[in-house]
Amino acid sequence: MKRIKNHGENGKPKLNHGKARRLKQAKEEAQMEVEHYRREREQEFQSKQQAAMGSQGNLSAEVEQATRRQVQGMQSSQQRNRERVLAQLLGMVCDVRPQVHPNYRIAA
């Protein structure tokens, strides 16, 4: 009796076509299941992230709006007081009153 080799050229055992096809199909199905699970988890994560960021998004919009109001208030205050402050500053710089410092001692 002659034995039939079940090994291919690379030394690995040969699989019959039916078994190879079933293994390939099982592998594809497993990959599809993994991909489906990954998409479900990603969608769940996105919805949770959106819920968490939604509240932060509103908060950041409120902070930004409050900051804009404060900046506008400062700008209007600067416009109202600009002339008065400049006049006061120029008056102090240009109005020189010479006087002797109290700590000055005449050297004799």
Side-chain angles (χ1 to χ4, degrees):
M1 262 204 300
K2 202 174 189 187
R3 281 192 144 172
I4 300 173
K5 287 186 177 181
N6 278 342
H7 295 291
E9 294 172 11
N10 59 4
K12 293 184 179 178
K14 287 184 181 179
L15 299 175
N16 60 17
H17 293 293
K19 189 173 183 180
R21 188 174 59 237
R22 285 192 308 270
L23 283 174
K24 185 176 180 181
Q25 183 180 3
K27 182 179 177 181
E28 289 172 355
E29 288 175 1
Q31 286 176 339
M32 286 175 33
E33 286 180 27
V34 167
E35 183 64 26
H36 179 70
Y37 178 76
R38 188 193 63 76
R39 274 188 260 130
E40 284 180 349
R41 298 298 291 175
E42 181 68 24
Q43 188 176 13
E44 184 179 323
F45 171 75
Q46 292 293 336
S47 65
K48 286 182 180 180
Q49 185 179 26
Q50 183 65 27
M53 294 301 287
S55 61
Q56 288 181 357
N58 294 339
L59 182 61
S60 66
E62 290 174 15
V63 168
E64 188 175 330
Q65 188 178 23
T67 304
R68 284 185 185 152
R69 281 195 305 265
Q70 287 179 340
V71 168
Q72 287 175 348
M74 287 182 215
Q75 287 175 341
S76 65
S77 175
Q78 185 266 341
Q79 289 295 327
R80 283 192 314 265
N81 298 320
R82 181 178 180 193
E83 293 300 323
R84 191 180 85 215
V85 170
L86 283 176
Q88 186 179 16
L89 182 62
L90 287 173
M92 294 171 92
V93 171
C94 295
D95 186 21
V96 179
R97 297 182 188 145
Q99 55 185 357
V100 177
H101 194 275
N103 291 337
Y104 179 72
R105 294 185 185 158
I106 299 174

